[in-house]
């Protein structure tokens, strides 16, 4: 794999980058109480371009106090749905108006290709429009017994929602949580990933200009083990929504138990892409390439285990590897680039270590390290060429463990039963992709695969009304559509008597006389 994009051009740096990124608490940009900071780097050059305020427990305390005051005394939770929807639509308008700038900053901060970052900005706007529509159209159950009683459900916002978001497509994934949490009347404290705080800082101005009251949105930057840990443990935060890797999710689960917090966690994945011999092979290859190499392979739903029926296995491997070798790796800001730089040198080292492990666990068909002919100054950068291993055994580490980079393992199978056993042979269960023209097989396989989401003959194009989440080690609970409304609200059952009700009269004279008789 040769580094082909913008070989002769200097690395692009956006204009007007901040040199320091602050918290946003109760309508004000502020530094940490104790003055702590951490460095933020550009993943292409690995040079620090800014510092960010490093939140500690005292900063989380201030943010939660502001959010709690805005919830108990402010107007936001009491607004009519239409009033909140107007604000959400203004937020969506602002995101769309800044699409180019948002994408530029996201690309610089994450290493994602610019064409893919633009799509994330538009998806973020759509999340706010979707939940603006949903809360206006929301209705709840009413149960009636004529002449006796009416029972209805009263939905109420819960309080302060703690939102902890990851570094892959950060702005869009923040919108997944912010939109439903705010739409349902909660207030929030957002703790973005420490690798990528740049785009998160834009929410403050967007929300302020759209008319969101002070204190409703608060942002605290910082490390997970400091700011994130304090947010999870805070007794005035009844909800935690977390997206990230599984071991961190387990820690959050333990720490949330003391206060019995509501939890929604979308965790790691090692999703199978199963290709049967009767599949449209060209379409399957297109999808299987996009599914693992888009977003630099740093995606939770990546189909990073490709299971191929033996009858077409050799043909698939040959065509897939040839295409992988032609993927354009380059400067993330170049529109031709299809795979950019990994987000951080720490993550690069992890992915590179799995590439080396894979060389002893499979047959290397493409990639295997940094691209060839990297421009001067990028020899120690975070680039990894799209890497393909074939003939990978199901007990191999690259088959079982989440790599979260542009690395794929291909394994053959003989029949449907073996394909299902291989697909389910990991601790994860987030997504699955099935390629077959056999309708009966498609439905039976989909219903038996251990995955929270299944795509038949497509990559992960998702309607916002559908639930998003995994099973096994891939998550706890679901969000998306009405599932998000359920998570961010309490459902209170109200019972009203319409007629006379017979109630036993414990302790009365009439009851005593009846018992004596």
């Amino acid at each position: 794999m040769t580094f082909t994009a913008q070989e002769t051009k200097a690395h692009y740096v956006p204009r007007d980058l901040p040199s320091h990124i602050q918290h946003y608490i109760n309508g004000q940009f502020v530094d940490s109480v104790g003055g702590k900071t951490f460095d933020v780097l550009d993943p292409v050059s690995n040079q620090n371009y800014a510092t960010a305020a490093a939140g500690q427990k005292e900063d989380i305390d201030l943010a939660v106090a502001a959010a709690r005051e805005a919830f108990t005394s402010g107007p936001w939770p009491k607004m009519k749905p239409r009033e909140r929807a107007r604000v959400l639509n203004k937020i969506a308008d602002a995101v769309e108006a800044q699409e180019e700038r948002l994408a530029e900053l996201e690309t610089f901060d994450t290493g994602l290709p610019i064409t893919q970052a633009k799509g994330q900005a538009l998806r973020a706007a759509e999340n706010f429009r979707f939940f603006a529509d949903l809360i206006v159209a929301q209705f709840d159950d009413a149960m009636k017994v004529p002449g006796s009683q009416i029972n209805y459900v009263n939905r109420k916002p819960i309080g302060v929602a703690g939102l902890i978001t990851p570094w892959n497509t950060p702005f869009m994934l923040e919108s997944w949580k912010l939109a439903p949490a705010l739409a349902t009347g909660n207030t929030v404290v957002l703790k973005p990933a420490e690798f990528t705080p740049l785009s998160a800082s834009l929410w403050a101005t967007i929300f302020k200009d759209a008319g969101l009251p002070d204190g409703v949105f608060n942002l605290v930057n910082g490390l997970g083990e400091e700011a994130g840990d304090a947010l999870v443990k805070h007794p005035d935060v009844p909800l935690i929504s977390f997206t990230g890797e599984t071991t961190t999710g387990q820690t959050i689960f333990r720490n949330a138990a003391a206060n019995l917090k509501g939890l929604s966690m979308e965790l790691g994945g090692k999703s199978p892409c199963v290709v049967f011999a009767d599949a449209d092979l060209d379409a399957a290859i297109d999808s299987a390439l996009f599914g693992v190499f888009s977003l630099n392979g740093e995606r939770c739903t990546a189909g990073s285990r490709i299971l191929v029926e033996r009858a077409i296995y050799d043909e698939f491997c040959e065509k897939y590897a040839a295409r992988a070798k032609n993927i354009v790796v380059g400067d993330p800001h170049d529109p031709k680039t299809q795979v950019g730089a990994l987000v951080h040198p720490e993550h690069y080292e992890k992915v590179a270590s799995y590439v080396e492990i894979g060389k002893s666990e499979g047959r290397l068909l493409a990639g295997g390290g940094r691209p060839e002919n990297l421009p001067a100054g990028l020899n120690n950068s975070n680039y990894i060429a799209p890497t393909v291993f074939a003939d990978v055994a199901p007990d191999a580490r690259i088959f079982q463990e989440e790599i979260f980079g542009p690395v794929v393992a291909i394994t053959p199978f003989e029949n449907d039963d073996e394909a299902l056993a291989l697909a389910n042979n990991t601790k994860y269960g987030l997504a699955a992709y099935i390629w077959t023209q056999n309708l009966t097989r498609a439905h039976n396989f989909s219903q038996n695969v251990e995955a929270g989401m299944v795509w038949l003959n497509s990559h992960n194009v998702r309607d916002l009304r559908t639930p998003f989440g995994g099973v096994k080690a891939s998550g706890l609970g679901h969000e998306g559509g009405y599932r998000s409304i359920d998570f961010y609200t309490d459902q209170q059952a109200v019972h009203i008597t319409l007629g006379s009700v017979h109630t036993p009269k414990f302790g009365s004279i009439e009851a005593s006389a009846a018992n004596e008789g």
Side-chain angles (χ1 to χ4, degrees):
M1 171 59 62
T2 300
F3 190 98
T4 57
Q6 286 193 337
E7 290 182 29
T8 61
K9 298 180 182 179
H11 168 48
Y12 178 80
V13 177
R15 70 189 188 286
D16 300 327
L17 283 174
S19 60
H20 182 59
I21 298 170
Q22 296 179 294
H23 310 310
Y24 184 75
I25 298 174
N26 203 24
Q28 301 293 323
F29 287 102
V30 296
D31 283 320
S32 295
V33 172
K36 285 192 173 183
T37 64
F38 62 92
D39 292 329
V40 186
L41 56 77
D42 153 25
V44 172
S45 68
N46 279 336
Q47 299 297 309
N48 294 330
Y49 71 87
T51 58
Q56 309 295 304
K57 181 179 182 298
E58 55 266 34
D59 304 298
I60 291 292
D61 287 344
L62 289 174
V64 173
R68 182 66 186 167
E69 176 66 19
F71 183 78
T72 57
S73 303
W76 186 252
K78 303 176 184 66
M79 283 184 181
K80 291 181 172 60
R82 177 69 71 185
E83 294 173 325
R84 287 202 297 268
R86 289 193 183 102
V87 175
L88 297 179
N89 278 311
K90 288 180 181 178
I91 292 168
D93 290 341
V95 171
E96 288 179 347
Q98 298 183 51
E99 177 197 356
E100 295 293 330
R101 177 63 170 170
L102 285 169
E104 181 183 57
L105 295 181
E106 193 84 318
T107 292
F108 181 77
D109 207 27
T110 65
L112 293 178
I114 186 68
T115 54
Q116 296 168 40
K118 287 181 178 178
Q120 302 305 313
L122 293 177
R123 186 69 161 180
E126 182 59 26
N127 281 321
F128 280 92
R129 295 205 190 283
F130 174 82
F131 284 102
D133 292 341
L134 196 60
I135 58 168
V136 172
Q138 171 72 39
F139 65 93
D140 289 301
D141 295 330
M143 289 67 68
K144 180 170 64 173
V145 180
S148 177
Q149 60 180 293
I150 292 176
N151 310 273
Y152 68 88
V153 175
N154 174 41
R155 283 188 186 267
K156 302 191 296 183
I158 296 175
V160 180
L163 312 179
I164 303 176
T165 52
W167 45 256
N168 61 319
T169 63
F171 192 82
M172 191 276 290
L173 289 178
E174 288 153 9
S175 76
W176 271 20
K177 301 179 188 300
L178 287 166
L182 296 173
T184 48
N186 297 283
T187 57
V188 304
V189 176
L190 171 66
K191 206 298 284 185
E194 56 265 31
F195 286 174
T196 54
L198 181 59
S199 62
S201 64
L202 300 176
W203 287 117
T205 302
I206 289 172
F207 288 154
K208 186 90 166 181
D209 292 347
L212 195 72
D214 291 345
V216 174
F217 168 75
N218 304 274
L219 182 154
V220 178
N221 295 296
L223 306 183
E225 57 268 30
E226 297 173 351
D229 185 66
L231 183 60
V232 169
K233 292 177 178 176
H234 200 291
D236 288 336
V237 179
L239 289 175
I240 297 291
S241 178
F242 169 74
T243 299
E245 51 107 18
T246 298
T247 55
T248 303
Q250 291 169 327
T251 300
I252 289 173
F253 200 125
R254 288 191 294 269
N255 290 339
N259 290 299
L260 298 175
K261 295 177 186 284
L263 289 176
S264 176
M265 297 196 292
E266 188 257 292
L267 306 176
K270 192 70 176 177
S271 300
C273 174
V274 185
V275 184
F276 289 93
D278 66 342
D280 180 333
L281 188 59
D282 290 337
I285 289 173
D286 287 343
S287 180
L289 284 160
F290 180 83
V292 75
F293 296 128
S294 60
L295 305 182
N296 299 344
E298 298 165 325
R299 59 187 310 157
C300 54
T301 56
S304 55
R305 293 183 299 135
I306 304 179
L307 312 177
V308 184
E309 192 165 2
R310 178 70 71 178
I312 60 168
Y313 181 74
D314 291 339
E315 181 184 5
F316 182 95
C317 288
E318 181 181 356
K319 290 183 175 180
Y320 190 91
R323 289 277 298 277
K325 292 175 182 177
N326 288 331
I327 290 174
V328 178
V329 181
D331 189 295
H333 294 274
D334 186 340
K336 298 184 185 67
T337 293
Q338 295 168 318
V339 170
L342 299 183
V343 68
H344 192 275
E346 181 181 310
H347 185 59
Y348 168 84
E349 292 298 331
K350 173 193 170 183
V351 176
S353 72
Y354 275 107
V355 171
E356 293 308 307
I357 290 168
K359 291 175 182 178
S360 64
E361 293 186 331
R363 177 165 53 100
L364 181 64
L365 300 182
R370 285 194 171 95
E372 298 174 0
N373 301 327
L374 280 168
L378 297 184
N379 291 325
N380 294 315
S381 61
N382 302 332
Y383 284 100
I384 286 185
T387 297
V388 181
F389 292 105
D391 308 341
V392 179
D395 61 350
R397 288 186 64 185
I398 62 170
F399 186 98
Q400 291 288 337
E401 299 175 18
E402 184 177 41
I403 300 173
F404 218 67
V407 182
V408 67
I410 308 178
T411 301
F413 65 86
E414 299 291 346
N415 53 49
D416 291 29
D417 289 342
E418 185 183 9
L420 184 64
L422 288 169
N424 291 340
N425 183 25
T426 71
K427 68 179 182 180
Y428 298 106
L430 187 57
Y433 307 88
I434 316 300
W435 286 86
T436 179
Q437 298 298 318
N438 184 318
L439 186 61
T440 300
R441 168 194 284 152
H443 284 290
N444 285 329
F445 201 99
S446 297
Q447 293 175 24
N448 286 294
V449 71
E450 294 169 352
M453 298 167 288
V454 181
W455 281 269
L456 294 174
N457 299 322
S458 84
H459 59 280
N460 59 343
V461 177
R462 175 178 163 262
D463 189 301
L464 292 177
R465 293 170 293 184
T466 60
F468 189 100
V471 299
K472 302 191 322 188
S474 286
L476 176 70
H478 287 76
E479 294 188 46
Y482 282 109
R483 277 76 174 182
S484 291
I485 301 295
D486 287 341
F487 177 68
Y488 289 106
T489 58
D490 277 329
Q491 298 178 54
Q492 179 187 58
V494 180
H495 307 273
I496 304 166
T497 299
L498 299 179
S500 59
V501 177
H502 173 70
T503 304
K505 298 181 180 297
F506 282 20
S508 68
I509 296 174
E510 293 89 339
S512 298
N515 289 336
E516 290 174 3

